[in-house]
Structure formats: C-alpha cells, structure tokens
Amino acid sequence: MAYLIGIPLLAILAILQSVIFNDLTLFDGRPDLILLAVVAWGINGRSREAMIWGLFGGLFLDQLSGLPLGTTAIILIVIAYLVSFTEGRFWEANFLMPMGVMILFSLLYYLFTLIILWLLGKPLDLSLALVRIILPSTFLNLILALPASQLIKSLSRLVFPPEVNI
Amino acid sequence: MSRIKTRTLLAATLILIAAGILLLSQGGMLDPAQDLILRPISSVQTWVAMRYAAIRDLLKSPSDLAELRAQNAELELEIAQLQQEIISLQEQVAESQILSALLNYARSEPENRYLAANIIGKDTSPFIRSVWMDRGSDVGIKQGMPVVTERGLVGRVAEVFATSARVQLITDPEIIVNVRLQNSRSDGALAPQLSGEIWVDLIDQDIDVSPGELVLTSGLGGIYPADIPVGEVISVRKRDYELFQQVVIQPSVDVDDLEIVLIITNFRPLTTEANP
C-alpha cells in the first residue's frame, strides 16, 4: 500500500520540483521535496519503505535531470538507510527531531551529490556550491522539515491506521 | 536475522539495482523504457507548467488584482468567472506576444527552419544548468540542435526522448560555444563560470574590446550556425602577463525566465568527442 501511494506521490513531487520549486530559489538553493519525503517517511518508523521510496524518488529526479539515471537513487537509498539508525533513540519523541535530522541529511545528501559530480568529472567550486546551493537548500529543507514530517505522519496514519485491540 | 542486518541487506540490494540501472542507462539500453516513463511525466509536467505560468503571470500584475478586489460583493461571482477568463486571456496574450516576436525572428532568418517548444521545467539538480521542453524525437528533434529565442542563443539540445528534450543552457560551464565579437571581428570561446557569470575567453591581447560590443556565434566548429546573438560585453579583463584577454558578457537571453523557445531543425551540428 505504501508503494501504491508512494510511487505516484514521488512522481508528482519530482514534477513539482522541476516546474515550481526550482523557481522558488534562495540564491541557487531550492527545497528538495523528494529528500524531504524520504527522510520524513524514514523517521516515521518506515525505514525499509523509505529506502524503496529513495530508489523510485531518485529515479524520477534523475529522469528530469542531466545527471545519469540511478545516481540520485543511490544517494537517496543511502540516506534512507542512515535515517533508519535514528529509530528508537531517546530523542525520537522530541518534536524538533525532524529539523535536526533534516539538517544532517540535507548536508549529507549534498556531500554525496558533490562526490558523484566529482566522479563524473563535472566542474565544481566547493566554496561557491556551499554558499550558493548547499546552505540555502539546507535552510529551505529545514523550514519545510516540520510540515513535511506532519504531512507524512498523516499520510502514514491514513494508509496504516493504528491497530485497535477489542 | 537482526533488523539492522535485514535493513543493510535491503539497502545493498537496492543500491545494486540502482547501480545496474545506472550502467544500463549509460549504455543506452534503457532508452525505450525511459521514453515510456517520460511520456506521461512530460504530459503532466506540461499541464502543471501551463497552469503555473498562468498563476505566476497573474501574481506579477498586482494592479489587476487590486482592481478586482475593489469590486463590490454583488459582482463577486461574476468577477470570479471574469478573473478566470482574464487569466486565460492574459496567458494567451503573453503567449501570442512571445510567438509574434519569435515569428518575426524566424522571418528575419529565412534560411533556418524552426520548431517552437514550451519550456516545461528546470533540471531537478541545482548543479546542472538545463531546462526541459515539450518537444522530442516524435517531431524530429535531434541531439545537438541549436535552441534560440528572438533575442539570441539559449543553448543546445543535450538529450532527446520521445515527447520531451533537455536543453543545455549557455550558462552551463560545460557548454562549448565559439563566438565572435561583432565590431572587432575577433574570435573567442564562451566560458560560463560556476558563479553564473559568462565570460568570453581566448581573445587576442591586441584586440580592442569595448563594453557594449555584441557577441555572436562564429559558426566555427560547426556546432552552431553563425551570427546568433549571444550577449553584450559588460567588462573587459586584460592582464599583460596573460596570453589572452577575457570579457564578461550579459547574455542576450534571460535563461531563468524562458517560456517558449525555437529549435533550429535544419542545422546539422558536427559531432565531436567533446560535443556528442
């Protein structure tokens, strides 16, 4: 069920990213809708599904990008895998937790992206990338972390209603 | 098996799948599948892009909104209907203005054959400077075809699918464009910077270049037709100890605000290793 809803949702998010959210920039940074969805689904206790969301979400993003198909998918699977280690920690109940997790994983997402771009031989300027893309994008992701987490939590409750003992 | 082990195994399997997809796609073996997936995606993308452009245009004209707000309550329903009509008409007017400008440009260059396309999205990676258009191999678009507007060069077709194509912009640091300075007739090469500035490099030190001079494609290398405007010189960087001077240009086309572009379909670019 999570895939039945997740895969079309990720396709729509990739389209919205390409058409609308790439226009809403802070310097050259923009919110990463699919990263937000994958991380939010992961911290919601559904890490295995989040990894599969990472695969499909990454493929949709790559399909609408000049990056080779599969590169962002690998990055998002790794991110979803790392997110799974936040499960069951004492600070999990803190409502600000999604923000902290989002800062960490936004930075990691861009670090992995830079490594892939370097491996592909693309021209890079680290300081420029940090100031114009990575930090502004991380900030925008941070702002959207709480609403994204709440939306995903609601979606999760809708798809998987809590079991009731009778 | 512990939960961590299961998760690790799943992550490793998924990474292997993604790596397999990466290898297959690099070999071009996934092109038919990508076409199949991109067909519905580009249709939805076009639909969303059209609506988004209409809303954006409406928001950019606050006087109309203020005027509409001032209407009395009895007319609200009618206003809502009229407003919808206005959005649609404004969009049509804006579109026809662009198309009329493009048509004038096409008429002024009768030797070229053009195909118009809507820009339906930007690259999802902030590190890649390209846009997507709603025309692909179904209507004869081929890799390498030059893309222009009535103002000048936009870039070249970098990737083609059945119903959409990716355009590498002139702001992409990896693009290769040979240019000529209009007055001094000196050749150079476009050198877009990661900062977003666009330089023209490899200009002879002896040449006098002044701000305001027009930069055109030279046609050298056979990648672009000659004499398409690329930009205007805004400053000159000349150092005695360097072999060449550089100029910074203001591009003729605002590539961040593209709506409709023209693809020159009868130009066959020469392919090289650097320009596949």
Side-chain angles (χ1 to χ4, degrees):
Chain A
M1 189 65 177
Y3 309 122
L4 211 64
I5 290 177
I7 294 168
L9 174 74
L10 292 166
I12 291 167
L13 289 180
I15 291 168
L16 292 180
Q17 177 83 55
S18 167
V19 179
I20 300 174
F21 283 81
N22 281 359
D23 247 6
L24 311 176
T25 55
L26 178 65
F27 296 108
D28 287 334
R30 67 279 307 257
D32 300 291
L33 298 185
I34 293 202
L35 175 73
L36 282 161
V38 169
V39 171
W41 198 253
I43 57 177
N44 206 30
R46 303 204 154 268
S47 52
R48 282 185 218 174
E49 287 154 12
M51 283 190 257
I52 294 167
W53 278 33
L55 171 69
F56 283 98
L59 289 175
F60 286 131
L61 280 181
D62 289 337
Q63 191 68 73
L64 297 175
S65 165
L67 286 173
L69 189 70
T71 48
T72 312
I74 294 174
I75 295 170
L76 284 172
I77 295 164
V78 174
I79 293 282
Y81 174 68
L82 295 174
V83 169
S84 72
F85 288 97
T86 62
E87 265 179 42
R89 306 288 164 184
F90 69 95
W91 35 264
E92 198 180 29
N94 192 316
F95 81 104
L96 290 176
M97 195 271 269
M99 297 174 83
V101 169
M102 189 45 74
I103 293 177
L104 176 67
F105 288 107
S106 276
L107 293 172
L108 270 178
Y109 174 73
Y110 281 104
L111 175 71
F112 293 147
T113 307
L114 287 176
I115 292 171
I116 296 245
L117 290 169
W118 176 72
L119 288 173
L120 291 171
K122 300 270 179 197
L124 284 175
D125 181 330
L126 287 181
S127 57
L128 212 64
L130 188 73
V131 174
R132 293 200 65 89
I133 298 174
I134 301 173
L135 292 179
S137 297
T138 304
F139 176 70
L140 293 171
N141 289 340
L142 176 68
I143 290 173
L144 291 175
L146 277 180
S149 162
Q150 289 306 315
L151 279 173
I152 289 288
K153 201 176 267 182
S154 308
L155 179 70
S156 169
R157 279 194 195 131
L158 196 76
V159 180
F160 304 104
E163 286 177 16
V164 180
N165 291 321
I166 302 171
Chain B
M1 206 185 292
S2 74
R3 283 181 70 190
I4 293 179
K5 267 189 184 168
T6 321
R7 276 197 312 236
T8 309
L9 198 66
L10 178 64
T13 311
L14 292 173
I15 288 170
L16 279 176
I17 292 171
I21 290 171
L22 175 62
L23 289 175
L24 288 173
S25 74
Q26 289 304 95
M29 278 173 265
L30 290 181
D31 287 355
Q34 280 182 273
D35 271 342
L36 208 67
I37 294 166
L38 260 182
R39 230 174 244 275
I41 287 182
S42 61
S43 305
V44 179
Q45 206 178 7
T46 307
W47 188 88
V48 176
M50 295 295 121
R51 267 75 194 160
Y52 175 60
I55 293 166
R56 194 182 50 192
D57 288 350
L58 181 74
L59 291 175
K60 276 183 182 171
S61 53
S63 57
D64 290 355
L65 271 178
E67 207 175 303
L68 288 170
R69 282 201 191 106
Q71 303 295 319
N72 66 47
E74 286 173 17
L75 291 171
E76 265 182 6
L77 184 66
E78 197 181 337
I79 288 167
Q81 286 166 346
L82 286 171
Q83 200 176 354
Q84 270 191 343
E85 219 168 290
I86 287 168
I87 295 170
S88 150
L89 287 171
Q90 274 180 337
E91 193 49 32
Q92 280 174 28
V93 168
E95 200 170 294
S96 63
Q97 278 171 345
I98 296 169
L99 284 171
S100 150
L102 290 173
L103 188 64
N104 285 338
Y105 174 74
R107 280 185 184 144
S108 69
E109 306 280 336
E111 70 278 11
N112 288 333
R113 277 208 305 274
Y114 299 95
L115 196 67
N118 289 304
I119 296 299
I120 55 170
K122 291 180 180 169
D123 199 294
T124 53
S125 169
F127 296 98
I128 311 275
R129 291 185 185 146
S130 61
V131 291
W132 287 86
M133 58 182 188
D134 66 348
R135 302 277 189 162
S137 56
D138 279 359
V139 289
I141 302 296
K142 289 191 174 72
Q143 196 179 16
M145 284 179 170
V147 180
V148 297
T149 71
E150 80 284 6
R151 289 177 178 274
L153 187 68
V154 171
R156 61 186 277 275
V157 177
E159 213 174 347
V160 188
F161 296 96
T163 54
S164 59
R166 189 170 66 83
V167 180
Q168 183 185 26
L169 298 171
I170 55 163
T171 49
D172 188 318
E174 289 191 289
I175 201 163
I176 298 165
V177 186
N178 290 315
V179 293
R180 176 172 295 142
L181 297 165
Q182 192 184 34
N183 300 338
S184 50
R185 309 305 295 167
S186 172
D187 287 326
L190 206 67
Q193 305 296 298
L194 289 162
S195 60
E197 262 188 354
I198 302 184
W199 295 8
V200 175
D201 202 353
L202 307 178
I203 304 168
D204 273 346
Q205 285 279 22
D206 309 336
I207 305 291
D208 278 330
V209 187
S210 47
E213 192 169 342
L214 202 62
V215 177
L216 308 164
T217 53
S218 67
L220 287 176
I223 305 172
Y224 298 94
D227 299 329
I228 300 174
V230 178
E232 198 177 277
V233 175
I234 49 175
S235 63
V236 182
R237 302 162 59 95
K238 197 170 185 175
R239 293 188 183 96
D240 291 339
Y241 56 85
E242 283 184 352
L243 209 53
F244 298 104
Q245 59 177 319
Q246 296 93 29
V247 298
V248 181
I249 66 163
Q250 173 73 46
S252 309
V253 180
D254 179 5
V255 292
D256 290 327
D257 199 21
L258 290 169
E259 285 185 37
I260 301 173
V261 292
L262 293 175
I263 306 118
I264 304 176
T265 53
N266 63 333
F267 181 78
R268 294 271 175 272
L270 293 176
T271 51
T272 62
E273 225 172 271
N275 172 45

